[in-house]
């Protein structure tokens, strides 16, 4: 059987140093700030381990023959790519798209790196061997990985090597025959409480002289010296499941990572002291494409969910028959379909990278640019349709337990489509999705998880088929000259 939720939860009880609200948390798995969210992650493993889901969600490990998650599958054809996608889509649906860094995200990046093993071989045999054996280990143990690949903001007007002190951003402070030692911070690693290990790497451009910041290493969450500095827990702040239906269970906490002299053995180092390789590992292998393809699949599930919310809000408020409301819903439906269509397009126009079949980068980067811009607009439309209904709500579910207040709730929460409880339940869900602190963090996430929009537009520029476009212009201009008469 593949790994199940209980096995996964036990694997998290590893003594990691996670700090929250002024304290070092002991046993974060059962702590009120993380408890329900790590169990939501566990439910992904339970889902894939169910006998009726085995075929859809898993494939046999090439080394052990045992079923492991399809997130590790390396597709060699269009149909395998689509088969893998339906597993990722099924996982995304379980969190209505609200778990952005579910295990399939970094697994997709690592699988993409593995597809580009030859590039790592050119960087050094030792690094290729480390990557190959780590990929197999992670796959066969169905590990939950996260990553921290961006440096802390500090002074963004200066390069990583020009900051006020040498190790604001994590870098290699020392190395010996056993491995490297890391010192400094990485900006964020989402899902730190849920992950078994973190990939630490650099994706922002580096220049000669920045070699100490150009490394890729796999670090267990309980590594000596690794400090996880958690942001505020929305799960802890959630009033109840009814009041905060999403933040109470899907809060994949983002943490700043501080490496305080963390030793990493060479067997877990894939890139070292090479600024060109730090970039090539993402863009000259399918890694970046695979990780962001997973993001679009997850976003598709989320947008379908938000579309469903928008429709139910308009039915609940009795405005579904108004032509302009139907137009707004039609616009939102078209936007969901755009994301769905882009995913289908990436797949159908995919191509071979060696023996592996990979999504079309040009379609992917277009989808990233457009969906980063689309999400805030999409959320805005939902807010516009919902009006003050997301605010005109009882303070908490406890109000229903007081007969006097419950009576007033019944008189004030009216709807042509549902009773007062149904109305409150729906609008509390809508607010948690788009208006609560959790919902607002999601807006920031969709806008920035893969870099600011200028970054994704840069990728679209880099991968565009310019020749096709400019050839058409040249071809057309060659059909006339300054001596030609009109007509
Ligand atoms: C919710 C959330 C979760 C995240 N999770 C992870 C994670 O799990 N792992 C991880 O590695 N990272 C994670 N990140 C970090 C993410 O990768 C970065 O936020 C992203 O790369 C953008 O970098 P930045 O935030 O430093 O923004 P900046 O690069 O500082 O950009 C912010 C703004 O500054 C301006 N700006 C900055 N530089 C320039 C320039 N050169 N030219 C023009 N304008 C400029 C632009 O207006 C830009 O929008 C997460 C971020 C968020 C918000």
């Amino acid at each position: 059987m593949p790994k199940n939720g209980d096995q996964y939860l036990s694997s998290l009880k590893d003594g990691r140093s996670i700090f929250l609200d002024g304290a070092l948390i002991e046993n974060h798995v059962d702590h009120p700030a993380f408890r329900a969210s790590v169990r939501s992650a566990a439910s992904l493993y339970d889902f894939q381990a169910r006998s009726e889901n085995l075929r859809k969600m898993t494939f046999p490990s090439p080394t052990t023959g045992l079923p492991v998650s399809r997130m590790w599958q390396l597709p060699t054809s269009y149909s395998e790519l689509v088969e893998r996608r339906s597993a990722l889509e099924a996982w995304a649906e379980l969190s209505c798209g609200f778990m952005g860094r579910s295990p399939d995200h970094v697994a997709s990046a690592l699988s993409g790196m593995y597809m580009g093993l030859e590039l790592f071989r050119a960087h050094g045999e030792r690094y290729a061997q480390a990557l190959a054996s780590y990929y197999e280990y992670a796959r066969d143990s169905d590990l939950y990985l996260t990553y921290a690949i961006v440096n802390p903001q500090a002074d963004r007007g200066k390069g990583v090597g020009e900051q006020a002190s040498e190790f604001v951003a994590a870098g290699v402070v020392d190395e010996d025959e056993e491995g490297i030692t890391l010192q400094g911070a990485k900006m964020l690693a989402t899902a730190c409480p849920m992950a078994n290990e973190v990939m630490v790497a650099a994706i922002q451009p580096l220049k000669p002289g920045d070699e100490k910041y150009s490394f890729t290493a796999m670090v267990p969450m309980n590594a000596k010296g690794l400090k996880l500095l958690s942001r505020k827990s929305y799960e802890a702040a959630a009033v109840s499941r009814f009041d905060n239906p999403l933040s109470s269970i899907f809060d994949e906490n983002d943490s700043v990572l501080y490496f305080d002299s963390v030793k990493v053995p060479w067997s877990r180092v894939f890139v070292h002291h090479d600024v060109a390789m730090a970039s090539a590992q993402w863009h000259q292998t399918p890694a970046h494409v695979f990780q962001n393809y997973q993001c679009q699949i997850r976003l598709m599930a989320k947008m379908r969910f938000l579309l469903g919310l928008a429709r139910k809000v308009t039915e609940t408020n009795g405005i579904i028959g108004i032509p302009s409301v139907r137009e707004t819903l039609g616009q939102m439906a078209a936007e969901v379909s755009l994301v769905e269509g882009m995913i289908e397009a990436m797949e159908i126009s995919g191509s071979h990278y060696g023996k592996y079949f990979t999504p079309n980068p040009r379609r992917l980067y277009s989808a990233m640019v457009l969906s980063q811009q689309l999400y805030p607009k999409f959320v805005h439309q939902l807010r516009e349709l919902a009006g003050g209904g997301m605010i005109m709500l009882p303070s908490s579910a406890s109000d229903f337990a007081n007969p006097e207040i419950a009576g007033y709730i019944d008189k004030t929460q009216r709807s042509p489509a549902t009773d007062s409880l149904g109305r409150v339940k729906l609008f509390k869900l809508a607010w948690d999705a788009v208006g609560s602190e959790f919902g607002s963090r999601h807006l920031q996430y969709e806008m920035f998880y893969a870099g600011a929009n200028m970054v994704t537009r840069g990728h679209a520029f880099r991968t565009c088929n310019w020749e096709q476009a400019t050839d058409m212009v040249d071809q057309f201009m060659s059909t006339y000259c300054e001596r030609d008469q009109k007509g």
Side-chain angles (χ1 to χ4, degrees):
M1 292 299 288
K3 186 169 177 174
N4 63 30
D6 281 342
Q7 290 163 328
Y8 160 72
L9 286 176
S10 320
S11 75
L12 295 183
K13 295 185 179 176
D14 57 6
R16 66 190 65 190
S17 295
I18 180 161
F19 294 91
L20 177 85
D21 296 332
L24 174 65
I25 303 300
E26 292 225 357
N27 182 18
H28 76 284
V29 174
D30 296 314
H31 189 278
F34 311 109
R35 193 181 182 286
S37 299
V38 293
R39 277 161 184 77
S40 294
S43 72
L44 302 178
Y45 286 97
D46 278 336
F47 180 80
Q48 74 172 17
R50 267 188 233 140
S51 55
E52 69 272 24
N53 294 336
L54 280 181
R55 164 85 193 76
K56 185 185 180 81
M57 300 303 295
T58 67
F59 76 112
S61 157
T63 46
T64 65
L66 296 171
V68 290
S69 170
R70 277 200 194 276
M71 64 186 173
W72 303 107
Q73 191 175 359
L74 310 173
T76 56
S77 64
Y78 166 74
S79 60
E80 283 183 11
L81 185 69
V82 172
E83 209 170 30
R84 181 180 181 276
R85 184 248 290 168
S86 19
L88 271 47
E89 195 176 336
W91 258 6
E93 282 169 0
L94 294 179
S95 68
C96 310
F98 280 89
M99 279 170 61
R101 289 288 148 86
S102 46
D104 43 335
H105 182 73
V106 178
S108 296
L110 190 67
S111 301
M113 285 180 181
Y114 181 84
M115 292 176 206
L117 206 52
E118 283 315 307
L119 186 81
F120 288 83
R121 195 153 281 131
H123 177 49
E125 187 55 38
R126 153 160 97 182
Y127 305 116
Q129 273 180 20
L131 170 59
S133 54
Y134 186 85
Y135 164 77
E136 286 172 17
Y137 158 70
R139 177 195 63 203
D140 293 342
S141 331
D142 247 340
L143 287 189
Y144 192 143
L145 305 176
T146 184
Y147 62 24
I149 57 180
V150 174
N151 298 323
Q153 278 187 328
D155 186 347
R156 274 278 185 264
K158 291 187 176 143
V160 63
E162 300 155 1
Q163 299 295 318
S165 62
E166 195 180 3
F167 292 108
V168 173
V172 177
V173 69
D174 190 20
E175 60 184 82
D176 56 26
E177 68 278 7
E178 284 168 22
I180 56 175
T181 303
L182 303 179
Q183 187 71 36
K186 280 285 177 184
M187 179 162 171
L188 278 179
T190 296
C192 263
M194 296 148 171
N196 298 111
E197 305 207 3
V198 58
M199 176 189 284
V200 198
I203 198 165
Q204 291 156 309
L206 297 173
K207 53 182 194 301
D210 291 338
E211 282 74 15
K212 63 168 82 75
Y213 309 104
S214 62
F215 64 90
T216 300
M218 300 304 311
V219 181
M221 284 300 183
N222 63 354
K224 187 161 173 272
L226 174 56
K227 313 293 175 193
L228 314 175
L229 309 173
S230 172
R231 65 148 162 77
K232 171 182 176 177
S233 162
Y234 308 140
E235 178 179 327
V239 178
S240 71
R241 184 73 208 283
F242 182 87
D243 289 289
N244 298 95
L246 299 169
S247 43
S248 58
I249 59 169
F250 296 138
D251 182 19
E252 46 175 10
N253 202 304
D254 318 281
S255 304
V256 171
L257 302 192
Y258 190 75
F259 296 82
D260 195 359
S261 219
V262 175
K263 187 100 198 191
V264 188
W266 289 115
S267 59
R268 283 165 166 268
V269 178
F270 310 155
V271 173
H272 175 239
H273 205 75
D274 185 335
V275 292
M277 184 60 193
S279 164
Q281 66 180 328
W282 307 108
H283 304 301
Q284 287 178 35
T285 74
H288 198 247
V289 166
F290 257 79
Q291 74 203 44
N292 287 301
Y293 166 58
Q294 180 276 341
C295 295
Q296 293 296 312
I297 296 166
R298 193 260 326 149
L299 179 70
M300 172 172 71
K302 190 186 200 180
M303 288 186 68
R304 285 176 182 154
F305 177 76
L306 293 176
L307 181 67
L309 266 182
R311 164 110 201 181
K312 286 185 77 68
V313 158
T314 60
E315 286 170 351
T316 302
N317 269 351
I319 54 172
I320 181 76
I322 300 173
S324 59
V325 168
R326 295 174 89 90
E327 276 171 34
T328 302
L329 287 172
Q331 172 74 27
M332 294 175 81
E335 289 168 356
V336 174
S337 196
L338 179 80
V339 175
E340 292 169 337
M342 292 299 277
I343 290 169
E344 286 167 10
M346 281 168 222
E347 292 165 345
I348 204 122
S349 63
S351 60
H352 275 96
Y353 176 94
K355 64 180 173 178
Y356 305 110
F357 192 80
T358 63
N360 180 322
R362 192 175 157 204
R363 304 280 178 271
L364 170 77
Y365 291 121
S366 305
M368 286 172 73
V369 170
L370 298 177
S371 60
Q372 260 182 335
Q373 296 164 359
L374 190 63
Y375 188 79
K377 193 171 149 245
F378 198 75
V379 163
H380 184 78
Q381 290 174 115
L382 174 49
R383 291 177 79 125
E384 215 161 45
L385 289 172
M390 298 194 292
I391 306 298
M392 184 194 85
L393 287 168
S395 52
S396 78
S398 309
D399 285 353
F400 285 98
N402 178 322
E404 187 187 353
I405 309 176
Y408 289 122
I409 294 174
D410 200 41
K411 286 189 206 321
T412 53
Q413 298 287 338
R414 310 302 292 187
S415 161
T418 182
D419 60 14
S420 55
L421 185 64
R423 182 189 166 88
V424 171
K425 190 173 186 182
L426 177 71
F427 276 91
K428 280 200 179 261
L429 172 60
W431 184 244
D432 211 21
V434 300
S436 66
E437 196 170 0
F438 170 85
S440 183
R441 178 259 175 208
H442 266 273
L443 177 63
Q444 205 69 3
Y445 181 80
E446 302 299 353
M447 289 169 68
F448 280 100
Y449 71 78
N453 202 231
M454 64 186 178
V455 174
T456 53
R457 277 182 277 160
H459 293 311
F461 180 89
R462 178 173 59 80
T463 52
C464 177
N465 186 350
W466 288 113
E467 225 170 75
Q468 183 188 49
T470 55
D471 279 0
M472 278 179 73
V473 177
D474 291 340
Q475 170 62 27
F476 182 73
M477 294 208 315
S478 72
T479 61
Y480 60 90
C481 73
E482 72 280 10
R483 294 182 300 279
D484 288 344
Q485 302 298 313
K486 65 175 178 174

